[in-house]
Amino acid sequence: MAEELQQPIPASPITDEEGEVSQNGSGEDVEHEEEDDAGYEDEDEDGDGDEDKKPVAEDSKVRSQRDKLENLFQRLSSEKVALRVHDIIIKGNTKTKESLIEDEVDALKQASTIQELLKAASIANARLQRLQIFDSVNITLDSGPPELPGTANVVIEVVEAKNPLSGDIGIFTKPEARSWSLEGSLKLKNLFGYGDLWDGSLAYGWDQTTEVSAGVSLPRFRRWFTPVFARASLLSQDWLKFSSYKERSLGLSLGLLSTPNHDLVYNLTWRTLTDPSQMASREVRRQLGHNLLSSLKYTFKVDRRNSPLRPTRGYCFVSTTQIAGLAPDIRSLQFLRQEFDICYAIPLGFYRSALNFGLSGGVIFPWGRGFLNKPSSLPDRFFMGGNSSPVCSLGGPNSLLGFKCRGLGPTETRRQTKYNHDSTATDAPPERDVLGGDLAVTAFADLSFDLPLRVLREAGIHGHLFACAGNLTKITENEFRSFSLQKFWQSFRSSAGFGIIVPTKLFRMEVNYCHILRQFEHDRGKTGIQFSFSSPS
């Protein structure tokens, strides 16, 4: 096929109507001033005649090539055209190892038809762009050697990043938690030519979180067929306001498997829980001190929605399984943790409206000797509340609109010191620690629709009506023996409301009016206007 395209295209014969010989009425041939113009005809043949023939010949050649291309496209659309790759030629990689590029485009060698080759070239281009080390990638299909008909050479031209160092900085807010954070990161690309990405980041929260981390990721490690990464982090989280403890952890994460549907990560973390206030409840005080978290976390995800920010059709399922206690240490936490999310979007056919509904659940339970009498790890329990959108935030049963961060679930009265007792001698109830739950379930329904104003529709701004419900409870330390589905159902909290959504490329902003339908004592739900910023996960 490639050989056929390279053959010279013969020019079609040209008929000059002005050169026709005419006849008079008697049928005799008539010559028009043949003798007088003989000299001029000789000049035309030597001079202007060649110039006149060139445009005509070029136009004929273009028409012939166009006809051949049309025939080629018709052939491609009607039948498979056999073609195989003879060689892959790589250009422009001054620093990047050629073996890295060859591994990413290996599928090109498996193509047996030109249709398969075009599809494989498109996928290879996307994979090379995803490495984030090239400014541009261009893949060209050329004909193979003349002595090997039916072959093609693939020419890959890359332009490596001119500036391998990049960085960004920003200020982010969480209105539901009334917190701000300053976050910055630096990234160094392709330091050793293996597509390696080195990065460091710093996040400082005014009242909750501080994190410093550094890591490296590789698109391939030796013959390992998926990207791998390693990351070290130092994290400090302040939960004194909600649960009377501070958490500090030093950890190492290793990404062992990463595909569009599967993710496997090993975590090794040394964690310390402290109570600077000396007011923690009895349940929290039991968990203070040092512990070691050695765990494997596997995530399976299938997302068939047409958009993660405003889905109008499709479904999504996410399952996360974590097993902890893989280190032979008495301080190693031992538990099994399972959570899932499932959601579905149904288009309604008017005003681009769609009904989204979903269900999330999770459970954590200790294992090992005497596990029935053990409590679950406090930081690894399920906490519910905050105003993150349940439509696009798929992170387990933690979102319940209208309730503040860690705003519902089991609680316990904080310890009363002498100073604290004197300062709260009024009728105000004593403060309580939020303990989280071992079993959690949430559900939501969301009806989204376009607004009547054209300027809002063009900007993607739309409205929605929503309702959500959820509950969590304790089942460890033999509490599962008294667990009742009826009591669990009767203690569900719920809310409903409406709002306006402003989707962007990075996040989804919501301005909602939430009405609390049901809450219990010690819950922190509030009816009114609330702001929400959610990133797709």
Side-chain angles (χ1 to χ4, degrees):
M1 186 68 193
E3 183 183 19
E4 179 184 349
L5 291 177
Q6 278 207 333
Q7 292 178 352
I9 303 174
S12 58
I14 304 172
T15 303
D16 190 353
E17 295 179 357
E18 295 180 358
E20 291 181 349
V21 179
S22 61
Q23 295 179 338
N24 60 10
S26 62
E28 298 179 354
D29 295 340
V30 181
E31 297 181 358
H32 301 282
E33 299 178 359
E34 181 178 356
E35 295 179 357
D36 296 340
D37 296 339
Y40 293 102
E41 289 178 359
D42 293 339
E43 292 178 1
D44 291 342
E45 291 177 358
D46 296 337
D48 296 339
D50 294 340
E51 295 179 0
D52 293 339
K53 291 178 182 178
K54 286 181 181 179
V56 177
E58 291 179 359
D59 183 61
S60 175
K61 186 175 181 180
V62 170
R63 287 200 303 268
S64 178
Q65 289 177 341
R66 184 170 61 247
D67 292 340
K68 282 201 169 189
L69 285 176
E70 290 178 355
N71 293 334
L72 174 62
F73 291 142
Q74 291 178 359
R75 186 179 175 189
L76 290 176
S77 60
S78 60
E79 61 178 315
K80 291 185 178 182
V81 181
L83 187 70
R84 61 182 180 85
V85 175
H86 172 260
D87 192 15
I88 297 178
I89 304 170
I90 301 174
K91 300 179 180 180
N93 56 319
T94 58
K95 189 175 184 179
T96 307
K97 305 297 181 183
E98 192 167 299
S99 59
L100 171 66
I101 300 177
E102 290 177 347
D103 288 340
E104 294 297 321
V105 302
D106 187 65
L108 292 171
K109 300 177 182 178
Q110 312 301 324
S112 59
T113 64
I114 191 170
Q115 291 91 339
E116 293 178 0
L117 184 57
L118 292 174
K119 182 178 180 181
S122 176
I123 296 174
N125 192 301
R127 295 189 64 173
L128 291 175
Q129 294 279 8
R130 197 161 52 239
L131 294 177
Q132 303 179 38
I133 60 176
F134 301 120
D135 287 338
S136 66
V137 178
N138 185 29
I139 299 180
T140 306
L141 306 182
D142 198 2
S143 58
E147 63 272 13
L148 295 176
T151 64
N153 291 333
V154 180
V155 182
I156 302 175
E157 297 183 72
V158 298
V159 178
E160 295 178 337
K162 295 181 179 179
N163 186 9
L165 184 64
S166 62
D168 57 74
I169 188 171
I171 297 178
F172 302 88
T173 178
K174 291 184 178 181
E176 66 271 16
R178 296 183 180 180
S179 66
W180 297 74
S181 64
L182 174 66
E183 300 181 13
S185 65
L186 286 175
K187 183 179 291 186
L188 182 60
K189 303 177 182 179
N190 208 22
L191 180 61
F192 297 109
Y194 292 98
D196 44 307
L197 298 178
W198 301 79
D199 72 283
S201 63
L202 170 66
Y204 177 76
W206 265 251
D207 61 350
Q208 278 195 358
T209 304
T210 302
E211 181 178 10
V212 180
S213 63
V216 59
S217 62
L218 293 170
R220 289 177 183 268
F221 182 72
R222 296 184 181 274
R223 291 301 175 184
W224 200 250
F225 59 94
T226 67
V228 295
F229 73 86
R231 189 165 200 86
S233 62
L234 178 62
L235 174 68
S236 175
Q237 290 183 292
D238 185 352
W239 298 108
L240 287 172
K241 179 180 177 181
F242 305 102
S243 304
S244 296
Y245 72 89
K246 280 189 174 183
E247 176 185 349
R248 290 182 176 86
S249 58
L250 175 64
L252 175 67
S253 299
L254 298 176
L256 305 176
L257 176 67
S258 179
T259 67
N261 301 114
H262 306 276
D263 193 72
L264 181 64
V265 180
Y266 172 75
N267 294 291
L268 181 64
T269 304
W270 180 257
R271 192 159 57 189
T272 303
L273 303 183
T274 60
D275 174 28
S277 67
Q278 301 294 317
M279 293 173 55
S281 61
R282 178 177 175 274
E283 178 69 20
V284 174
R285 291 199 306 270
R286 291 170 56 192
Q287 304 230 7
L288 299 179
H290 305 282
N291 53 59
L292 180 66
L293 176 63
S294 175
S295 68
L296 272 175
K297 179 183 287 188
Y298 168 72
T299 302
F300 173 73
K301 181 177 182 179
V302 177
D303 194 345
R304 296 290 185 267
R305 298 174 298 174
N306 59 342
S307 170
L309 292 173
R310 187 189 177 181
T312 56
R313 63 171 55 87
Y315 65 91
C316 181
F317 175 77
V318 182
S319 172
T320 302
T321 304
Q322 183 181 11
I323 176 170
L326 304 181
D329 191 287
I330 59 173
R331 288 167 294 187
S332 178
L333 297 172
Q334 297 177 319
F335 62 83
L336 296 172
R337 193 176 192 269
Q338 174 67 47
E339 62 184 51
F340 73 91
D341 298 90
I342 184 170
C343 53
Y344 203 91
I346 302 175
L348 300 182
F350 58 91
Y351 289 103
R352 204 187 165 200
S353 58
L355 177 63
N356 283 265
F357 57 90
L359 178 69
S360 300
V363 62
I364 181 173
F365 207 82
W367 66 275
R369 181 177 299 177
F371 68 95
L372 292 178
N373 299 318
K374 288 182 179 179
S376 58
S377 171
L378 179 60
D380 299 296
R381 293 176 186 172
F382 297 96
F383 294 90
M384 202 173 291
N387 294 327
S388 60
S389 171
V391 175
C392 64
S393 299
L394 303 175
N398 53 28
S399 178
L400 195 59
L401 296 176
F403 290 83
K404 296 182 179 181
C405 179
R406 296 196 176 193
L408 67 151
T411 61
E412 189 175 77
T413 305
R414 292 178 178 174
R415 185 169 60 175
Q416 299 295 307
T417 62
K418 182 178 184 302
Y419 171 79
N420 180 262
H421 180 75
D422 293 340
S423 62
T424 59
T426 61
D427 295 336
E431 295 183 336
R432 303 179 70 87
D433 285 336
V434 181
L435 304 178
D438 305 315
L439 175 66
V441 177
T442 60
F444 76 90
D446 183 282
L447 175 63
S448 61
F449 50 88
D450 277 344
L451 296 173
L453 295 180
R454 180 179 178 182
V455 63
L456 297 179
R457 292 198 304 270
E458 292 178 350
I461 301 174
H462 59 282
H464 75 138
L465 304 173
F466 64 87
C468 50
N471 194 16
L472 68 168
T473 188
K474 179 179 180 180
I475 59 173
T476 56
E477 297 183 289
N478 287 305
E479 289 290 333
F480 69 92
R481 300 182 186 277
S482 58
F483 175 77
S484 169
L485 283 176
Q486 182 178 1
K487 292 181 180 179
F488 187 69
W489 171 258
Q490 291 175 350
S491 59
F492 261 71
R493 286 79 162 174
S494 57
S495 63
F498 59 89
I500 296 177
I501 301 173
V502 183
T504 68
K505 293 182 179 179
L506 300 178
F507 60 88
R508 164 184 168 126
M509 185 184 76
E510 299 182 12
V511 182
N512 295 324
Y513 176 82
C514 299
H515 178 72
I516 304 300
L517 299 176
R518 191 177 192 185
Q519 65 175 326
F520 294 91
E521 188 181 9
H522 310 311
D523 290 345
R524 294 185 297 119
K526 182 181 178 181
T527 295
I529 296 177
Q530 298 177 349
F531 294 85
S532 169
F533 296 84
S534 304
S535 299
S537 57

